[in-house]
């Protein structure tokens, strides 16, 4: 429909008058024609209005779509910017990592050029390392600088976490060494190096205090020595002597957890453990609830002897005891004890209060009918064999127990047996035997009474006993540290690799 323009509406009154005057149309026809024209225009206006309404809705929808698209574009741009920033950050981090690695390599090469020794990384447990130890700068002489020592001494790693510590390798090329072998196969041997060099005469145990790069030297008196564990750790100028009140403690065996030493008394029949805070030099005592073995005859001076203590986990330690008849101390290989129901006994003890949490194996007649006993490799009961138990340490699933063998004669010790126990299976898998065979740095066998290398006037092959046992990881390798002594005549510290599966002919 064509819209009537304004001029046509303005002419309509005049046209109506002319039609009526000329008589061409009746009044009705004229009015009807006018009404029809007006109606047509009304219809046109209605259709136009509807069209405009539809167009407005489309306009609004289009505007909204445009706004949504604009927002999406902005979001995409922000995401692109964020991705670009993340990429730049990652690239920067990678570059920094590479630069640090290159720097460390350069420093390592420089250190290697200026020092002849290799650093040893020491650790105890396998849990998360919680402390960062600063790198040590060796001097031309191969000894840590005073500044590095001060930094290391200031650190106090958590007592419940493993940690790193850098010390120079000890030169053991000029040391005496002993040859040990497996009891099951004497052709499988190991070398145990004397790394002590000290001349002290009374000796019971020497646990390692890694927090201070030190070895503790306990005797049977009310004092102990702290020996710095650096390139000259056995130098008397480095030692610190402390007095401490530990009752009548024999200090038979010990280990250090953080800055606390756990020391078993070792006196006949005693069940006491001392917790010695090495920072304050104060000690507390706890008596373990271990029943005594009475043997075949309660009047025969029998007891259960607590003689070994070692770290087990963050909250517990192991207490190792054996059933002892005091008259057995004079028994020899030719005349072993006649009482046959003596057992090795191992208890799990809570560090917090000294309560016994579990009996891993023991004496069924004393610890209870249901208690496990130590087995041999044939799954038979393994009874106690030996005179004294001198120390224990637990690492890599094995419990190492250092004992005196039966005497070679009434007046001579019979050497050392280190029991190697698979603790999970509660099985004695073998023994490491040290019964003599001492050699000088050139590999020459040492004769008895050779004082040149500090063996002492009373030395004879096998006439010695163990004095405590501990362990350290060095560059991922586990080493045992075991004392060797003889009636204040021999005082040595042996170091050899563990476990025994690594032995070879």
């Amino acid at each position: 429909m064509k819209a009537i323009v304004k001029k046509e509406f303005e002419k309509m009154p005049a046209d109506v008058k002319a039609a009526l005057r000329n008589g061409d149309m009746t009044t009705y026809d004229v009015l009807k024609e006018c009404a029809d024209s007006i109606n047509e225009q009304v219809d046109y206006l209605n259709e136009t209005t509807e069209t405009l309404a539809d167009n407005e809705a489309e306009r609004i929808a289009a505007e909204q779509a445009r706004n949504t698209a604009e927002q999406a574009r902005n979001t995409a741009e922000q995401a692109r910017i964020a991705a670009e920033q993340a990429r730049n950050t990652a690239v920067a981090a990678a570059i920094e990592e590479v630069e640090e690695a290159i720097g460390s390599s350069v420093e390592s090469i420089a250190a290697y050029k200026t020092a002849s020794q290799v650093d040893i990384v020491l650790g105890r447990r396998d849990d998360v390392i919680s402390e960062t130890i600063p790198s040590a700068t060796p001097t031309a002489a191969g000894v840590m600088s005073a500044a590095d020592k001060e930094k290391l001494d200031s650190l106090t790693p958590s007592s419940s976490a493993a940690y790193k510590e850098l010390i120079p390798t000890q030169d053991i090329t000029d040391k005496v060494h002993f040859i040990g072998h497996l009891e099951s196969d004497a052709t499988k041997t190991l070398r145990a190096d004397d790394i002590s060099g000290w001349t002290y005469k009374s000796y019971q145990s020497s646990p390692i205090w890694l927090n201070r790069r030190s070895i503790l030297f306990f005797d049977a008196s009310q004092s102990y020595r702290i020996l710095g564990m650096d390139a000259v750790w056995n130098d008397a100028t480095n030692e610190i002597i402390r007095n401490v009140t530990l009752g009548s403690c024999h200090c038979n065996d010990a280990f250090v957890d953080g800055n606390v030493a756990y020391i078993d008394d070792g006196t006949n029949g005693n069940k006491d453990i001392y917790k010695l805070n090495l920072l304050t030099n104060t000690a507390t005592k706890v008596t373990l609830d271990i029943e005594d073995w009475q043997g075949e005859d309660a009047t025969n001076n029998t007891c259960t002897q607590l003689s070994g203590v070692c770290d087990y986990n963050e909250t517990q330690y192991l207490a190792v005891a054996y059933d002892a008849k005091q008259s057995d101390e004079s028994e020899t290989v030719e005349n072993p004890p006649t009482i046959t129901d003596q057992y090795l006994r191992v208890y799990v003890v809570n560090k917090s209060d000294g309560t016994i949490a579990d009996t891993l194996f023991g004496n069924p007649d004393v610890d209870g009918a249901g208690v496990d006993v130590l087995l041999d490799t044939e799954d038979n009961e393994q009874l106690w064999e030996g005179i004294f138990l001198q120390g224990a340490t637990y690492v890599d699933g094995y419990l190492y127990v250092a004992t005196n063998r039966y005497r070679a004669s009434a007046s001579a010790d019979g050497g050392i047996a280190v029991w190697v126990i698979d603790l999970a299976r509660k099985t004695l898998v073998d023994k490491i035997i040290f019964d003599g065979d001492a050699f000088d740095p050139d590999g020459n066998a040492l004769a008895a009474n050779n004082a040149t290398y500090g063996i002492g006037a009373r030395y004879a092959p096998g006439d010695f006993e163990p004095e405590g046992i501990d362990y350290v990881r060095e560059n991922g390798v586990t080493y045992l540290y075991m004392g060797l002594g003889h009636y204040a005549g021999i005082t040595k510290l042996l170091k050899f690799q563990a476990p025994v599966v690594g032995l070879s002919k």
Side-chain angles (χ1 to χ4, degrees):
M1 178 189 297
K2 181 180 178 181
I4 299 174
V5 299
K6 181 178 180 181
K7 289 182 178 179
E8 293 177 344
F9 275 103
E10 292 176 345
K11 288 171 54 182
M12 188 173 290
D15 292 341
V16 171
K17 289 179 181 180
L20 289 175
R21 184 174 55 248
N22 296 332
D24 295 335
M25 300 176 66
T26 65
T27 303
Y28 171 79
D29 292 331
V30 172
L31 293 175
K32 183 176 182 300
E33 186 174 291
C34 290
D36 290 338
S37 296
I38 292 171
N39 286 334
E40 286 179 2
Q41 294 305 308
V42 170
D43 292 338
Y44 175 80
L45 291 174
N46 286 336
E47 289 176 3
T48 302
T49 300
E50 291 175 359
T51 301
L52 291 175
D54 292 340
N55 291 341
E56 180 64 12
E58 290 176 1
R59 186 193 66 77
I60 294 173
E63 182 69 16
Q64 291 175 341
R66 188 191 67 78
N67 292 338
T68 301
E70 183 68 16
Q71 291 174 352
R73 187 191 68 79
N74 292 338
T75 302
E77 179 65 13
Q78 291 173 352
R80 186 194 65 77
I81 293 173
E84 181 71 13
Q85 291 174 341
R87 185 188 70 82
N88 293 339
T89 301
V91 170
I95 292 173
E96 184 178 356
E97 211 170 84
V98 170
E99 289 176 345
E100 289 179 355
I102 293 173
S104 298
S105 299
V106 171
E107 291 175 0
S108 298
I109 294 170
Y112 181 80
K113 289 181 178 179
T114 58
S116 60
Q117 76 282 349
V118 180
D119 283 340
I120 296 178
V121 180
L122 298 182
R124 296 305 296 270
R125 299 194 188 87
D126 294 324
D127 47 2
V128 179
I129 294 172
S130 64
E131 295 287 339
T132 300
I133 309 297
S135 299
T137 305
T139 64
V143 182
M144 283 186 185
S145 66
D148 284 324
K149 283 188 178 183
E150 184 177 357
K151 285 190 291 184
L152 288 172
D153 285 338
S154 67
L155 294 169
T156 55
S158 167
S159 63
S160 64
Y163 44 90
K164 291 182 178 179
E165 193 164 313
L166 300 177
I167 63 171
T169 299
Q170 297 175 34
D171 184 3
I172 58 175
T173 58
D174 63 342
K175 301 296 183 183
V176 172
H177 61 271
F178 291 74
I179 300 299
H181 63 81
L182 288 184
E183 184 178 60
S184 64
D185 185 352
T187 66
K188 294 183 177 179
T189 61
L190 58 78
R191 169 174 168 156
D193 292 291
D194 167 32
I195 61 171
S196 55
W198 50 47
T199 58
Y200 316 122
K201 297 303 181 183
S202 179
Y203 190 19
Q204 294 301 323
S205 59
S206 49
I208 297 169
W209 184 13
L210 287 184
N211 278 19
R212 289 288 299 273
R213 307 182 332 279
S214 299
I215 289 180
L216 306 182
F217 183 99
F218 286 103
D219 55 27
S221 67
Q222 299 301 299
S223 66
Y224 63 96
R225 291 177 170 87
I226 303 173
L227 304 167
M229 199 175 177
D230 55 25
V232 288
W233 66 267
N234 53 16
D235 189 336
T237 59
N238 284 340
E239 78 173 6
I240 300 173
I241 301 177
R242 289 182 176 176
N243 295 317
V244 64
T245 301
L246 298 177
S248 59
C249 183
H250 196 60
C251 300
N252 191 73
D253 188 33
F255 75 93
V256 180
D257 179 17
N259 295 312
V260 177
Y262 291 76
I263 310 160
D264 79 65
D265 189 313
T267 305
N268 289 339
N270 206 314
K271 309 299 188 297
D272 293 336
I273 297 288
Y274 288 87
K275 291 176 62 174
L276 173 62
N277 187 317
L278 296 169
L279 300 181
T280 63
N281 200 39
T282 56
T284 57
K285 181 181 75 172
V286 60
T287 301
L288 303 189
D289 185 17
I290 298 175
E291 294 294 330
D292 269 332
W293 167 73
Q294 296 300 323
E296 295 176 351
D297 185 352
T299 64
N300 200 19
N301 194 21
T302 61
C303 67
T304 294
Q305 184 67 42
L306 173 60
S307 299
V309 63
C310 60
D311 206 4
Y312 187 48
N313 56 42
E314 293 184 1
T315 60
Q316 296 171 319
Y317 62 86
L318 299 180
V320 183
Y322 70 102
D323 299 326
K325 182 165 73 73
Q326 299 306 309
S327 59
D328 290 350
E329 295 179 11
S330 61
E331 300 293 348
T332 64
V333 175
E334 292 78 13
N335 297 292
T338 57
I339 295 179
T340 58
D341 57 344
Q342 300 176 74
Y343 289 84
L344 186 69
R345 299 158 72 174
V346 176
Y347 304 91
V348 179
V349 184
N350 294 319
K351 292 177 181 177
S352 59
D353 56 10
T355 57
I356 294 178
D358 192 13
T359 302
L360 297 184
F361 51 83
N363 187 330
D365 295 332
V366 182
D367 294 312
V371 70
D372 291 330
V373 298
L374 181 64
L375 303 175
D376 62 19
T377 54
E378 302 297 326
D379 290 336
N380 301 312
E381 287 189 358
Q382 173 65 56
L383 298 175
W384 167 248
E385 295 176 354
I387 300 177
F388 298 114
L389 191 155
Q390 302 282 6
T393 193
Y394 172 72
V395 58
D396 300 331
Y398 289 95
L399 176 65
Y400 296 88
V401 178
T403 73
N404 292 45
R405 304 174 74 202
Y406 294 131
R407 294 184 186 278
S409 67
S411 60
D413 286 325
I416 297 170
V418 180
W419 293 33
V420 185
I421 298 171
D422 183 332
L423 205 57
R425 294 176 175 83
K426 301 176 183 177
T427 300
L428 174 64
V429 296
D430 218 323
K431 297 178 183 177
I432 307 172
I433 306 299
F434 293 94
D435 51 11
D437 297 332
F439 296 86
D440 68 14
D442 297 322
N444 301 313
L446 290 175
N449 304 323
N450 190 326
T452 303
Y453 298 100
I455 289 180
R458 303 191 64 176
Y459 170 77
D463 191 12
F464 44 71
E465 62 183 5
E467 305 292 358
I469 189 168
D470 203 350
Y471 83 91
V472 175
R473 296 189 196 280
E474 300 178 6
N475 295 329
V477 179
T478 301
Y479 290 92
L480 301 181
Y481 285 67
M482 180 181 69
L484 184 148
H486 177 95
Y487 297 129
I490 307 172
T491 309
K492 293 188 172 296
L493 182 63
L494 303 185
K495 171 186 175 182
F496 52 97
Q497 187 173 340
V500 295
V501 293
L503 293 182
S504 61
K505 184 175 180 180

